[in-house]
Amino acid sequence: MICRNIIYRTRSDIEIIKNEYSTWNPENILIQVFTGILDYHIIQKLQKELRELFPGTPVMGMSTAGEILNGESRNNSILISFSFFRTSRIKICLIDQNENLHEAGVRMGKTLSQEETKAAILFGCGLKNGKFINSEPLLGGLKESLGEVMIAGGQAGDNGIGHSTFVFTESVLTEHGAVGASLSGKELIARHAFNLSWIPIGKKLTISKAGGSHVQLIEDQTPYDLYSHYLGEDIARDLPLSGAEFPLMIERMGLQVAIHPLKIHPDGTFEYIHDFQEGEQVQFCYCNAGLLSLGAEQLRHRIVEMNPEALFIYSCVSRKWVLGADITMDLSSVKGRMQSAGCYCYGEYYTHDNSYAYMFSQTQTVLGLTEKTDETARLEELKKNELSAEESRQFRTMRVLHRLVETSTREIESMNRELVNLSRRDSLTTLANRRYFDERLKQEIKRHSRSRMPLSLILMDVDYFKNYNDTYGHVMGDQALMKLGKLIRSIVKRPDDLAARFGGEEFVCILSGTPKEGAAVVGKRIRQELEDLQILHSTSGISNVITISMGILTAYCHKDTAQAELLHKCDTLLYKAKKEGRNRIVQEDDI
């Protein structure tokens, strides 16, 4: 294949390319347009010229926040990339709606599907009514239709104005939707790579409350207060722009993703570029020139391994804003390699192992295409670009520092996890303690009020345990409680269930999604297996071994269900079991 990239100013710029490649079939050509000029009249004029000079040729274009030509960053230009394939076929589809992005992706995928499809390039509108568009549903729908196909591309920008973006073909221009191209051919090889260069630092933070991209609480405090605490008032005052310098990093489907805030609400809550789920863990992350050099060098080696004939870069505009003059270092991996073209986007698309399509932010992605397999050229390129001794020392130092930060952070996280586990455990029985039980019950009531699944509680009390301590001593009493704790732990062991020491000789279990019948089975088993242990209790009053009384409550929670109310009802059932003679179970549904 052949790739030619030009900066468009007049019709004659396109005519030169047309005259050189006039014999090429339209279905074997792909024209990509990246425009930082947002004037509709100029774009429509360009569309007309492309239709006249390249009739029937697939064209896909988008507005940008900057253009990239042969490793150089540009602004307010129109960059046109012409790809001429020997055998590969191109198919274009434009969807003019973003009301239902998943449906749009499915429809687009069905239209683009061809035999031997190796890759798809997607340009999506980046804004809707001035608000950022999360295109993950669009990518999901496209992947659903295309299957194991690499998806690359990005979201249209508008030079940071934040008003409106557009995508277009040779004849249609729209601010609502997306344009995609499928690249198909037996000889076509498509490879994908990315460079993030931000690394996590500090402890992991838990999303406490969130609804989609709107995050209300992190570590039980507003995001604004959290940023102020960890990054200082200077950074907090400059939010959301300063948030791009210290984004949050989260692991999604095996890859680290950097996410920065888009908007701050008056109450200190944030809108982010991606959605979050309650309970997810994030870390602050950062980048410096050394990390940037290391990332660029690693990406360069990856590109050389690709051995592409054409290279396309779809990079996040926040990299351009944050890195400033260092953006030249960021683009050093593609500079001087070959003909390369691309742009700065409002979100970039990346497919990991052809399985999951991500919408990244703050990331540089590259797509390499080729219709040849010449390994000799690749090896020579690697040899030619070996690092100097001074560069090698710098990169080695950065790798060591990177490892130091990662290892220290990992060890701190491990210690924190251990401390959290210790804070949640009863020291005698190693079951959960009362405090953690209260936290979990609150969460389970909230979760079950949404699912309307049954939630069962078992509250149990060792019969005549004061007599046991008076007769055998507290050391033997502690050993008996330890044996009971071990027994309960061996029975109540599903991941969503919880067994806890409620206090003294009382124990409690949360059985998630468990109806009355299932809770009865668990309760009977605990009571019977405790008797089977034959722990001698000569002063019990009802048996010569230790026994237990239980109250079992099965509730169907709703949004007004009170934690104290459930515990009171379960405690009433336990009291009834003891009043009726002990060593028994009293059970009830609370609908």
Side-chain angles (χ1 to χ4, degrees):
M1 66 174 289
I2 299 170
C3 185
R4 290 289 305 276
N5 304 316
I6 64 167
I7 295 298
Y8 166 80
R9 296 179 181 85
T10 66
R11 180 187 177 100
S12 62
D13 296 319
I14 306 174
E15 287 175 340
I16 293 171
I17 303 296
K18 172 63 178 177
N19 293 335
E20 289 183 27
Y21 302 98
S22 58
T23 61
W24 233 267
N25 292 325
E27 70 167 8
N28 302 123
I29 304 172
L30 173 63
I31 300 176
Q32 295 181 71
V33 183
F34 309 100
T35 176
I37 295 176
L38 309 179
D39 188 313
Y40 276 20
H41 296 295
I42 294 176
I43 303 306
Q44 288 165 347
K45 175 176 174 289
L46 171 61
Q47 288 176 298
K48 181 174 181 292
E49 292 172 358
L50 288 172
R51 287 197 304 271
E52 291 173 352
L53 294 172
F54 286 89
T57 298
V59 175
M60 62 186 302
M62 66 171 164
S63 57
T64 74
E67 302 73 58
I68 301 170
L69 174 61
N70 298 331
E72 296 283 351
S73 176
R74 306 179 66 92
N75 293 299
N76 303 311
S77 65
I78 298 178
L79 168 59
I80 307 178
S81 179
F82 298 86
S83 297
F84 300 93
F85 297 89
R86 288 187 298 110
T87 58
S88 301
R89 305 171 310 283
I90 312 301
K91 201 172 184 181
I92 285 280
C93 173
L94 183 140
I95 299 291
D96 190 14
Q97 68 93 357
N98 53 21
E99 297 302 317
N100 188 326
L101 289 177
H102 183 267
E103 177 190 317
V106 171
R107 284 174 50 204
M108 178 179 284
K110 289 178 179 177
T111 302
L112 294 179
S113 181
Q114 303 184 75
E115 188 178 355
E116 298 283 354
T117 298
K118 302 293 180 61
I121 299 175
L122 178 67
F123 295 165
C125 285
L127 299 170
K128 178 182 177 182
N129 300 325
K131 293 184 177 180
F132 178 81
I133 293 176
N134 184 343
S135 288
E136 287 182 335
L138 177 69
L139 292 169
L142 186 58
K143 206 79 178 69
E144 186 178 310
S145 291
L146 291 180
E148 297 293 310
V149 170
M150 180 181 296
I151 300 174
Q155 298 202 159
D158 66 348
N159 290 326
I161 299 169
H163 181 261
S164 64
T165 61
F166 57 84
V167 297
F168 55 93
T169 62
E170 73 283 355
S171 56
V172 179
L173 185 152
T174 180
E175 294 181 5
H176 312 285
V179 59
S182 60
L183 288 65
S184 308
K186 189 174 183 179
E187 296 179 3
L188 181 66
I189 299 172
R191 295 188 176 99
H192 222 177
F194 74 95
N195 176 22
L196 178 57
S197 294
W198 265 252
I199 65 165
I201 188 168
K203 73 171 189 175
K204 288 188 176 179
L205 309 165
T206 302
I207 304 294
S208 309
K209 187 177 181 182
S213 62
H214 185 199
V215 176
Q216 289 98 356
L217 296 174
I218 305 175
E219 293 287 303
D220 294 321
Q221 55 186 313
T222 66
Y224 185 89
D225 288 341
L226 186 92
Y227 279 65
S228 298
H229 175 70
Y230 284 103
L231 303 180
E233 282 294 335
D234 289 344
I235 293 294
R237 276 195 297 269
D238 290 336
L239 287 166
L241 288 178
S242 61
E245 296 182 62
F246 300 95
L248 298 180
M249 182 171 284
I250 189 170
E251 185 172 309
R252 292 269 168 89
M253 304 294 288
L255 288 184
Q256 298 280 19
V257 180
I259 303 174
H260 62 268
L262 293 173
K263 180 181 179 181
I264 304 176
H265 294 285
D267 60 359
T269 63
F270 286 5
E271 295 284 346
Y272 281 88
I273 197 168
H274 283 276
D275 292 349
F276 284 102
Q277 301 293 325
E278 291 179 9
E280 286 187 312
Q281 291 194 311
V282 297
Q283 288 175 276
F284 284 110
C285 57
Y286 78 103
C287 179
N288 62 29
L291 287 170
L292 201 62
S293 297
L294 180 59
E297 178 61 17
Q298 290 171 337
L299 181 60
R300 184 190 71 79
H301 275 265
R302 181 74 183 96
I303 290 170
V304 170
E305 288 172 358
M306 291 179 180
N307 193 24
E309 293 176 286
L311 197 64
F312 301 104
I313 304 100
Y314 311 101
S315 187
C316 185
V317 67
S318 62
R319 293 180 77 86
K320 183 181 178 184
W321 292 340
V322 170
L323 298 177
D326 287 335
I327 199 67
T328 56
M329 188 182 302
D330 197 42
L331 294 174
S332 63
S333 57
V334 297
K335 189 172 183 179
R337 308 270 133 236
M338 71 229 17
Q339 287 275 310
S340 63
C343 68
Y344 291 102
C345 319
Y346 287 177
E348 45 287 352
Y349 308 144
Y350 180 80
T351 309
H352 185 54
D353 294 336
N354 284 3
S355 57
Y356 185 82
Y358 294 82
M359 190 190 78
F360 280 158
S361 61
Q362 303 204 226
T363 307
Q364 179 189 49
T365 67
V366 297
L367 171 68
L369 299 175
T370 185
E371 290 181 313
K372 64 171 181 144
T373 56
D374 184 0
E375 293 296 311
T376 304
R378 180 181 67 82
L379 293 173
E380 287 300 315
E381 180 74 3
L382 278 171
K383 199 177 296 183
K384 183 176 69 177
N385 287 279
E386 286 180 350
L387 297 175
S388 68
E390 179 60 29
E391 288 175 321
S392 294
R393 280 193 296 272
Q394 291 176 0
F395 289 132
R396 180 177 179 274
T397 300
M398 286 311 306
R399 277 192 289 269
V400 170
L401 291 175
H402 189 173
R403 179 185 175 87
L404 174 62
V405 171
E406 280 192 318
T407 304
S408 300
T409 301
R410 195 161 51 244
E411 289 175 352
I412 291 169
E413 287 175 2
S414 178
M415 287 187 290
N416 285 339
R417 281 194 299 270
E418 185 61 29
L419 288 172
V420 168
N421 286 334
L422 289 172
S423 72
R424 291 174 171 177
R425 296 291 159 195
D426 171 61
S427 59
L428 179 65
T429 64
T430 71
L431 296 178
N433 58 26
R434 173 66 185 271
R435 187 181 69 174
Y436 184 52
F437 164 78
D438 287 338
E439 291 175 5
R440 276 290 302 276
L441 181 58
K442 182 180 178 180
Q443 294 170 3
E444 292 301 315
I445 290 173
K446 184 177 180 180
R447 188 163 70 93
H448 283 74
S449 68
R450 293 194 298 263
S451 68
R452 296 297 294 160
M453 293 288 286
L455 174 66
S456 290
L457 290 179
I458 302 178
L459 188 58
M460 59 196 93
D461 189 11
V462 179
D463 295 324
Y464 297 107
F465 192 68
K466 182 179 183 303
N467 293 355
Y468 187 89
N469 275 335
D470 290 344
T471 304
Y472 299 98
H474 287 279
V475 173
M476 292 292 289
D478 286 349
Q479 289 181 3
L481 293 179
M482 290 167 63
K483 289 177 182 178
L484 177 55
K486 182 178 180 182
L487 184 153
I488 295 172
R489 189 168 57 251
S490 70
I491 295 172
V492 181
K493 56 185 179 183
R494 293 188 311 172
D496 289 340
D497 293 343
L498 182 76
R501 187 180 180 190
F502 198 65
E505 67 273 18
E506 286 188 315
F507 295 81
V508 65
C509 300
I510 300 174
L511 304 180
S512 177
T514 304
K516 181 178 182 180
E517 297 77 13
V521 169
V522 173
K524 289 175 182 177
R525 186 178 168 192
I526 293 172
R527 194 181 71 84
Q528 185 59 55
E529 292 193 16
L530 176 60
E531 281 201 64
D532 292 344
L533 288 179
Q534 292 291 296
I535 303 173
L536 186 63
H537 189 356
S538 60
T539 54
S540 167
I542 57 169
S543 174
N544 61 353
V545 296
I546 284 182
T547 58
I548 200 165
S549 299
M550 292 186 190
I552 301 180
L553 178 72
T554 299
Y556 291 83
C557 303
H558 49 80
K559 63 183 180 68
D560 296 322
T561 298
Q563 181 173 342
E565 182 185 0
L566 287 188
L567 284 172
H568 175 71
K569 288 180 179 180
C570 200
D571 189 51
T572 300
L573 296 175
L574 173 60
Y575 178 79
K576 188 176 180 181
K578 291 194 287 187
K579 189 176 180 180
E580 291 179 358
R582 304 183 190 247
N583 190 21
R584 66 191 61 223
I585 297 171
V586 174
Q587 186 169 13
E588 186 179 290
D589 269 348
D590 180 47
I591 299 176

